[in-house]
Amino acid sequence: MVITNKKGLPKAMENACIALFSAKHNKPGTLSATTLKSGVREIILTDRYWDNIERDISEMTPVLIGTAIHSVLEAHTDNTEDIMAEEQFTFTVGDITVTGRLDGYDVKNKVIYDYKSAAVWKKIYNDFEDWKFQGLVYTLLLNKAGYEVNECKFIMMFKDWSPTKASTDTSYPQFPCDTYTFKPTLNDIAEIEETIKTKVEEYTKSLPLPDKELPLCTEKERWTKPTTYAVMKKGRKTALRVLETKADAEKYLSENGGDYIEERKGSDGKCENYCICNKFCPYWKEHYAPKSE
């Protein structure tokens, strides 16, 4: 990875980003629990073009903050008979080794701990599906190693918490730190094992394919927001109704009134702003690349 410092930020930040993030996350033949949350195309293209992917340290500060938090907590966690910290677990699927490094595991109470720096909206919108996936992969890894898991607990530290909003809005997180907790079921564990096997098989079969033939990331993996159609009335800022198809919008307008239909273009949030290999992806080139490219 090519790490740049276009904004002239302090050398210490540049050195830290180079030291922490310039090497590939996965060793050959391995896939981590966090990597498995991504689409097969993203995983392969990231590895395939790693030496050409460019990121500026100004874009990497959220990851740097998260890494700093982990480093501080790791330095103050004692590995004992009852607590395991920063332990790595693995199991094999075909020719691929699935890996996971746990922030903490309480052996006595059978609880997985994971520390997260997060935006407040994560809590407000209860958007924890990706964390649950990660927790279930960790649970499976521990089960394979002979450990039971009663609970997965994610400790979230909000990067953008506002005491003013907390004091005026009871639906807003009341403290700058909160938890997301769930209890993995036997059905959850069976499903996550099947999901991992399916993804690893797809990944292995796709490795020899050229870029254009790699399986397209799913809408969920692309964070797709679909195109919608808003029935509008002149002089009114908000829509009378927002519908999923133009036909439904036209029907609503004819039956209930309104002046015109506004098409609100959908988007792929991950592709546009968060996928580090997007510039090497045929889908991104077709839908999001500037005309000059």
Side-chain angles (χ1 to χ4, degrees):
M1 177 181 286
V2 180
I3 295 177
T4 60
N5 186 5
K6 296 177 181 178
K7 295 187 179 297
L9 295 172
K11 192 68 176 176
M13 293 179 65
E14 182 179 341
N15 292 340
C17 287
I18 291 172
L20 293 168
F21 310 124
S22 59
K24 290 182 180 180
H25 180 64
N26 296 301
K27 294 179 180 178
T30 69
L31 291 174
S32 72
T34 51
T35 299
L36 285 168
K37 293 187 292 186
S38 301
V40 166
R41 176 179 286 205
E42 181 186 350
I43 296 169
I44 292 175
L45 289 180
T46 297
D47 183 69
R48 192 172 284 179
Y49 293 101
W50 183 260
D51 292 338
N52 303 106
I53 292 172
E54 181 179 305
R55 295 191 74 190
D56 193 75
I57 65 170
S58 61
E59 304 168 331
M60 302 169 78
T61 48
V63 187
L64 190 61
I65 291 169
T67 303
I69 290 171
H70 277 83
S71 296
V72 171
L73 294 171
E74 182 184 351
H76 291 83
T77 301
D78 295 325
N79 271 308
T80 66
E81 291 184 0
D82 292 333
I83 300 293
M84 292 191 297
E86 295 297 326
E87 292 283 340
Q88 179 165 288
F89 294 87
T90 67
F91 77 95
T92 303
V93 180
D95 296 328
I96 301 298
T97 299
V98 177
T99 69
R101 185 176 294 278
L102 280 66
D103 291 345
Y105 174 64
D106 183 332
V107 181
K108 183 178 180 180
N109 296 301
K110 303 172 184 177
V111 177
I112 290 174
Y113 290 95
D114 197 88
Y115 301 111
K116 299 287 190 186
S117 59
V120 167
W121 64 260
K122 191 84 174 172
K123 173 71 175 180
I124 292 173
Y125 293 106
N126 200 35
D127 182 23
F128 299 118
E129 189 174 355
D130 56 337
W131 290 4
K132 185 172 183 179
F133 177 93
Q134 184 179 346
L136 288 174
V137 177
Y138 287 164
T139 299
L140 181 61
L141 285 162
L142 280 167
N143 285 176
K144 295 284 187 183
Y147 296 95
E148 295 181 16
V149 177
N150 290 335
E151 189 174 70
C152 295
K153 183 172 287 188
F154 290 80
I155 316 301
M156 57 184 116
M157 288 156 270
F158 300 123
K159 298 176 288 187
D160 54 352
W161 185 78
S162 166
T164 302
K165 289 183 179 179
S167 65
T168 58
D169 183 357
T170 56
S171 65
Y172 189 86
Q174 295 299 292
F175 300 95
C177 185
D178 208 329
T179 60
Y180 162 64
T181 303
F182 73 92
K183 298 180 183 297
T185 66
L186 291 175
N187 187 56
D188 286 335
I189 297 166
E191 285 185 0
I192 202 68
E193 183 165 16
E194 188 58 34
T195 297
I196 291 171
K197 287 180 178 178
T198 300
K199 176 156 280 188
V200 169
E201 287 172 6
E202 184 180 31
Y203 167 78
T204 303
K205 290 178 182 177
S206 302
L207 278 171
L209 299 177
D211 297 353
K212 288 185 177 181
E213 295 179 23
L214 292 172
L216 180 64
C217 298
T218 64
E219 289 189 350
K220 182 192 241 182
E221 290 163 345
R222 301 197 311 268
W223 306 351
T224 300
K225 181 180 178 182
T227 295
T228 57
Y229 299 86
V231 180
M232 306 296 295
K233 189 174 182 64
K234 291 178 181 178
R236 176 183 169 129
K237 292 183 178 180
T238 58
L240 297 174
R241 186 76 180 272
V242 179
L243 296 145
E244 294 182 359
T245 69
K246 188 174 183 181
D248 286 343
E250 289 172 342
K251 181 181 178 182
Y252 181 92
L253 188 147
S254 65
E255 294 178 352
N256 300 282
D259 295 313
Y260 62 98
I261 294 172
E262 177 183 274
E263 181 180 12
R264 297 179 176 177
K265 285 287 186 183
S267 61
D268 301 291
K270 178 86 177 274
C271 302
E272 287 188 273
N273 302 307
Y274 296 98
C275 178
I276 65 172
C277 67
N278 58 8
K279 290 180 173 57
F280 302 96
C281 176
Y283 180 84
W284 182 87
K285 291 176 182 177
E286 179 182 350
H287 292 86
Y288 298 109
K291 299 296 182 182
S292 59
E293 294 188 22

